Amino acid sequence: MPYGYMGRILRINLTSGEVTEQQMDDGLARAYIGGSGLGARMLYDETSASTDPLGPENVLIFMTGPLTGTKVPTSGRHAVVAKSPLTGIWGESDAGGSWGVALKSAGYDGLIITGQSPRPAYVWIHDQGVEIRDATGFWGQDTYGVDAHLKSVTDPKASVACIGPAGERLARIAAIMHDGKHARAAGRTGLGAVMGAKNLKAVVVCGSQAPAIAGPEALQASIKRLAPLIREKTTNYHKYGTGGGVVTNAVLADMPVKNWRIGEWVDSAEKISGQTMAETILTGRYYCKSCIIGCGRVVKVSEGPYAGVDGAGPEYEALAGLGSMCMVDDLEAIALANELCNRYGIDTIETGTCIAFAMEAYERRIITQSDTGGIALNWGDPEALIQMVHAIGRGEGIGQLLRHGVRAAAESLGGLTLEFAIHVKGMALPYHDPRALSSLAAAYATYPRGGCHRGMSHGLERYAIPELGYDEPMDRHATVGKGVMTAIAQDYYGLYNSLKLCHFIAGAIAPSDIVTWLNLVTGWDMTLEEFLRVGERASNLKRMYNLCCGLSRKDDVLPPRITTEKFDEGGSKNYLPHLGDMLAEYYKHRGWSKDGVPLPATLIALGLEQEVADLPLGYREVSVQK
Amino acid sequence: MPYGYMGRILRINLTSGEVTEQQMDDGLARAYIGGSGLGARMLYDETSASTDPLGPENVLIFMTGPLTGTKVPTSGRHAVVAKSPLTGIWGESDAGGSWGVALKSAGYDGLIITGQSPRPAYVWIHDQGVEIRDATGFWGQDTYGVDAHLKSVTDPKASVACIGPAGERLARIAAIMHDGKHARAAGRTGLGAVMGAKNLKAVVVCGSQAPAIAGPEALQASIKRLAPLIREKTTNYHKYGTGGGVVTNAVLADMPVKNWRIGEWVDSAEKISGQTMAETILTGRYYCKSCIIGCGRVVKVSEGPYAGVDGAGPEYEALAGLGSMCMVDDLEAIALANELCNRYGIDTIETGTCIAFAMEAYERRIITQSDTGGIALNWGDPEALIQMVHAIGRGEGIGQLLRHGVRAAAESLGGLTLEFAIHVKGMALPYHDPRALSSLAAAYATYPRGGCHRGMSHGLERYAIPELGYDEPMDRHATVGKGVMTAIAQDYYGLYNSLKLCHFIAGAIAPSDIVTWLNLVTGWDMTLEEFLRVGERASNLKRMYNLCCGLSRKDDVLPPRITTEKFDEGGSKNYLPHLGDMLAEYYKHRGWSKDGVPLPATLIALGLEQEVADLPLGYREVSVQK
């Protein structure tokens, strides 16, 4: 086994109660590294098109990477992988905090949960063993409460991954939450509902082990050299959190406003920015394990209508989703709405999009107060925002309609609501606008878990990464080159999700620095080229997973609002991305057919020979490509 | 009643056998003129979202216009309107020949058929009355046979509109055919199936009346002045038929090849061009009533494997659909396939697209010889082409899958076939490529009956019409201005379908010439501005009809092949249209919301006040538009 890994994956069958261990495979470790890359390999092999995401046959995979538990900056993250109940396709999410490091310190690189517990349960993993325990007594409790309770009955130093009431009730936008009030969410693709369907309230981990490192001194030296640069380049994250970008993004019209309808909201954006937060409700900052940035916000609201907020403050995505999307510019209200999302265990992005969607439906009188249970669902109304989060979190009233995400809500309401449900492949878009940064068009249309900017092409668009061929930022409204950039970015930033590292250091360090760390930890001799191929392999495997689920190029789309509605105002006035051009370039660069199917030769070159047989009929021979 | 109209519309209820007449409404005549414009008004008022296109409640409307039966060049056309069985939305098609003039000479501007005959029937309309007669004896006969038979039992000078076996069997790609061997088809949107569902084999008309004309001498003088210009500008249509454009279009990569996959096929195109036809199988030409162009081809194949062809030769769309789309460059085989389509009564465009689709599915082994009933469905195989037309025309074997159009076939097969079913809103695209002429992107995406170039923006793209604001042709790959051009062209060329006139004179005469003719016939004092507003009114009413059927902007799309696959070769290499940009411009110019819904103010300005109440919820007030 390479250094850096614990060499063991824990496997728990909740139906039978059986607990087993499997060895990490050396070859797979090098081919997929870890995190959601290795998770993709596992999910591909263990599930299929017929797997019900909420059935006992779905597998819930928690994966760390070889850097987890080391001192590599921001390596304290882990990935969660399953077939998504939100989208029905490839599902992954990841979180920071302490849980991933804790799992590794208990001796495991990963955890695979299968089956379904006959009654509410939680899992307690520690140096001495693994226990499946009864959770009936606190079933229904919110995530902050569960975290505190489980630490009190296990170990105060334990880490807790848990679901709130929303996950229990199988809301398809449910998140897996970590670390209680210092909340870190695996928020996307509805993985909290997978836990709920397994009757699994929490996984508590604690341990005292650590991975062996091939070159500890050289690693330490490298970290010491690079840490100041990281700190320097991320100082705004430390000072203002991710919300520090609110005003910049609002000026670009990158932050969506009023369900992606208007392009100018800068004055209000200033009221909810990270800078404003720092001057008002901020009481502290928190760090994930191994982090030297500290973007986590601790906030407190002691007075007024939103008094009681006490813990994690809203991140950029929450400020946009619960703020600008709904035209709410009351920071304290947003902070409360955010805390409620954390407590109920629902994704702030899906929640924000659902509320904005409902506000638009209410404005158009497609839904009325009789549907909302009396909530006057007006744009910008902070009271309505809070009431809606409660409704969605509890799955009551209008929340029954919205708790499975905006695609499901629009399909249920039908008609013109389909025009303003802003998602790709069933996942609500994160809050960066392709009309502000064109590469996001290709990124959202192609990212395997649905509309997602973790492909970070917009990162490459704004920052130079010479080792990837980008010596300077690109014009944010260019078309040519953006398809290629998106593919390169998805592969490269995807590796962060395999390792696992935090994207926030990507602007500070070079890809080869990461390869150096990886080699110093594992003892490998990986080149940058091999490293990037690992990223490409994972991208292709995830694409193949979705093809097997029935998706194809026709699903590589954007919501019609994004492709046809120009802003009349603001920083991205009068621009629409040319998605088709970017997709053509993207597919070609990837070595996929013109209709977006990986060519056999491409798969074979990536070591995915086995998957050639899974290609659709008529796509398995190189001859059939013109 | 204005001059030009007969003032009466015949109404036949086939369920009860009741025959009635209704007066033409003067106001509606001026507001909609006739043809498919007035037909839109009637269909809007008589059907709804719940109307089953193949149920007795659908109404089948045959409409002439005020110019029909006059000497105005190319005025011998009529429109057929119904809710489409192919698409489920607004359905219209039109045809030349003699039938429209014959209906008018029998004393009627239009014919509305409702209900369903208890047994196979045909209708015989003549100066002395209207008869519903039994058609059991020749049910099953092909359209050439029916035409001859019905003339023999009614009047040798009668005109016959009829269906073939495909319409009888409710194939949703069935056409209504006219004039036997001098075939003229109302081919699109499956209106033959509406006749079939009504158990109506044919409508035979003959008469001796003529519309009164307000200014017969001035009209005669105007025609005399303009006729030479029309003849001069359309001389290629006379010499080579519509197929005269084959090579030009192939050079531009405007004519689709291999199911829209490749951009270069010029050598083969030459073998199937109108020029080649003129040198080989052409034996004569034929004219529609009042026509001075004579684009109709009479062809004869006396020897070889395709001997027996005798009658109408293939038009451009048939040459492309049965030729380049399937890579068949054997003109005699195409001529036979075309004649078979005419005889079975199926649309050559839908048929060509279905066969090319099946060839691609066969190439990709999604279907095999066990599905095709033994047909080796290889690209370019003329035998396979002929066998496929038989199968589709008869609805047997693989024809069962294909006879309802390519959307239905792809939905039935599922999977990746959805990627190469080339249609918009369920209607197969005609054979001009938006990658060659960009405005076609907006035209296809927005035309109310589905993917259709009758909006003729590509006409405006290639020819100047100064009165419409286009002093010179536009760059064929430009984006800016093409949305506006498309809307203007749809309104203007749509008026040809109201009048009814043939589009082929549009490059020769000015819009004001047409207004002059209209005023000289009717006695109106219509201005060019009022005239163009009539076109805009019809476009908006058809849009409203489709909105009522549940369509919206999300349906204003193109097949993904057109938006994402660039040609690597040929005259339109490396270009993809920017549909989103064009749609934004189009909606704005039309006075529609950014999501493509007519604004109340727009409807009111067009005299469509009543339709404001039919707007979707939340779109009925001007306030709700941002």
Side-chain angles (χ1 to χ4, degrees), chain B residues 204-521:
Chain B
V204 190
V205 285
C206 192
S208 58
Q209 303 166 57
I213 291 171
E217 281 145 30
L219 180 66
Q220 182 61 28
S222 172
I223 292 169
K224 195 172 171 190
R225 183 174 61 82
L226 290 165
L229 187 64
I230 293 170
R231 280 203 190 83
E232 181 200 324
K233 294 269 192 176
T234 59
T235 177
N236 273 345
Y237 282 126
H238 176 77
K239 280 196 213 157
Y240 308 122
T242 52
V246 161
V247 175
T248 314
N249 293 350
V251 167
L252 289 178
D254 175 54
M255 184 170 74
V257 182
K258 203 178 186 183
N259 203 23
W260 305 79
R261 271 156 85 188
I262 62 175
E264 162 69 57
W265 200 67
V266 176
D267 290 347
S268 286
E270 282 172 356
K271 298 186 197 165
I272 64 169
S273 70
Q275 288 78 353
T276 300
M277 200 187 309
E279 293 163 8
T280 54
I281 59 175
L282 190 75
T283 62
R285 294 168 174 84
Y286 61 94
Y287 293 76
C288 300
K289 286 278 179 189
S290 304
C291 180
I292 58 175
I293 302 171
C295 72
R297 307 288 94 178
V298 183
V299 298
K300 198 171 173 78
V301 179
S302 310
E303 295 180 336
Y306 311 108
V309 174
D310 181 18
E315 308 231 19
Y316 170 78
E317 296 291 340
L319 292 165
L322 307 168
S324 60
M325 278 284 283
C326 303
M327 304 195 77
V328 170
D329 61 5
D330 183 322
L331 183 57
E332 295 187 354
I334 296 169
L336 176 56
N338 178 65
E339 179 170 314
L340 291 171
C341 287
N342 289 345
R343 287 180 176 272
Y344 284 118
I346 47 177
D347 179 24
T348 52
I349 300 180
E350 294 294 336
T351 304
T353 292
C354 280
I355 296 172
F357 167 83
M359 284 178 166
E360 183 159 350
Y362 185 85
E363 172 192 348
R364 298 189 187 280
R365 286 176 298 126
I366 296 165
I367 59 173
T368 65
Q369 272 186 299
S370 74
D371 303 296
T372 65
I375 304 172
L377 199 45
N378 296 310
W379 294 109
D381 184 338
E383 280 302 332
L385 173 74
I386 302 296
Q387 289 175 291
M388 288 299 288
V389 176
H390 280 302
I392 294 170
R394 292 177 185 148
E396 291 172 0
I398 184 80
Q400 288 180 358
L401 175 73
L402 300 171
R403 73 198 190 97
H404 297 313
V406 77
R407 178 173 69 181
E411 284 175 352
S412 169
L413 291 171
L416 285 179
T417 67
L418 296 166
E419 293 289 340
F420 56 82
I422 309 299
H423 69 88
V424 172
K425 299 183 175 75
M427 190 163 87
L429 295 190
Y431 300 125
H432 297 281
D433 197 318
R435 291 167 292 188
L437 300 161
S438 64
S439 77
L440 287 167
Y444 289 165
T446 60
Y447 202 71
R449 71 170 177 175
C452 178
H453 66 305
R454 273 203 335 192
M456 281 287 279
S457 57
H458 69 305
L460 264 185
E461 209 157 43
R462 296 166 89 170
Y463 318 118
I465 302 190
E467 286 182 4
L468 298 182
Y470 294 93
D471 292 334
E472 52 191 58
M474 282 185 79
D475 181 313
R476 69 188 175 99
H477 283 162
T479 299
V480 175
K482 294 295 182 79
V484 171
M485 168 181 271
T486 296
I488 289 173
Q490 285 176 345
D491 294 346
Y492 174 61
Y493 292 98
L495 284 160
Y496 282 65
N497 301 326
S498 300
L499 286 163
K500 288 243 16 176
L501 286 177
C502 176
H503 291 143
F504 293 169
I505 62 169
I509 60 166
S512 58
D513 295 328
I514 294 177
V515 179
T516 299
W517 288 342
L518 180 61
N519 286 335
L520 288 173
V521 168

Side-chain angles (χ1 to χ4, degrees), chain A residues 111-240:
Chain A
L111 165 66
I112 301 176
I113 293 172
T114 67
Q116 180 182 40
S117 169
R119 63 186 59 82
Y122 74 99
V123 169
W124 167 221
I125 302 167
H126 49 99
D127 281 338
Q128 283 72 44
V130 177
E131 300 167 50
I132 303 173
R133 290 181 169 187
D134 187 71
T136 312
F138 52 95
W139 194 254
Q141 213 169 359
D142 78 25
T143 65
Y144 288 9
V146 169
D147 188 84
H149 172 72
L150 286 174
K151 281 174 177 150
S152 76
V153 298
T154 57
D155 188 313
K157 295 189 303 297
S159 277
V160 178
C162 69
I163 57 172
E168 294 174 7
R169 293 179 197 143
L170 310 184
R172 290 171 191 262
I173 62 168
I176 299 173
M177 302 300 299
H178 306 79
D179 293 356
K181 287 190 173 189
H182 285 185
R184 288 291 168 191
R188 310 237 64 195
T189 69
L191 301 181
V194 178
M195 275 184 73
K198 295 191 176 306
N199 260 325
L200 179 63
K201 181 68 175 173
V203 180
V204 190
V205 284
C206 192
S208 56
Q209 303 167 58
I213 290 170
E217 281 146 30
L219 179 67
Q220 182 63 28
S222 172
I223 293 169
K224 194 172 173 191
R225 183 174 61 81
L226 290 165
L229 186 63
I230 293 171
R231 280 204 190 82
E232 180 200 324
K233 293 267 191 179
T234 59
T235 176
N236 273 344
Y237 282 127
H238 176 76
K239 279 197 214 160
Y240 307 122

Side-chain angles (χ1 to χ4, degrees), chain A residues 258 261-262 360 363-366 415-416 418-420 547 550-555 560-569 574-581 583-585 587-588 594-595 597 616-621 623-626, chain B residues 258 261-262 360 363-366 415-416 418-420 547 550-555 560-569 574-581 583-585 587-588 594-595 597 616-621 623-626:
Chain A
K258 204 180 186 183
R261 271 156 84 188
I262 62 176
E360 184 159 350
E363 173 192 348
R364 298 188 187 281
R365 286 175 297 125
I366 296 166
L416 286 178
L418 296 165
E419 293 289 341
F420 54 84
L547 286 175
L551 265 58
S552 60
R553 172 185 55 179
K554 69 182 189 312
D555 304 293
R561 175 159 289 170
I562 308 295
T563 54
T564 65
E565 290 188 27
K566 291 180 174 180
F567 291 127
D568 298 324
E569 65 284 309
N574 207 29
Y575 173 77
L576 293 170
H578 191 335
L579 177 60
D581 255 0
L583 285 179
E585 195 185 90
Y587 297 147
K588 188 173 183 179
K594 286 188 179 181
D595 49 352
V597 178
L617 262 175
Y619 287 81
R620 293 170 198 166
E621 289 84 34
S623 62
V624 189
Q625 293 311 333
K626 188 71 179 184
Chain B
K258 203 178 186 183
R261 271 156 85 188
I262 62 175
E360 183 159 350
E363 172 192 348
R364 298 189 187 280
R365 286 176 298 126
I366 296 165
L416 285 179
L418 296 166
E419 293 289 340
F420 56 82
L547 287 175
L551 266 60
S552 59
R553 172 184 56 180
K554 70 183 186 313
D555 303 293
R561 175 159 289 170
I562 309 294
T563 54
T564 66
E565 290 188 26
K566 291 180 175 182
F567 291 127
D568 297 324
E569 65 285 309
N574 207 28
Y575 172 76
L576 293 170
H578 191 336
L579 177 61
D581 255 0
L583 285 179
E585 196 184 89
Y587 297 147
K588 189 173 183 180
K594 285 187 179 180
D595 49 354
V597 178
L617 263 175
Y619 287 81
R620 293 172 198 164
E621 288 85 35
S623 61
V624 189
Q625 295 309 333
K626 190 68 182 187

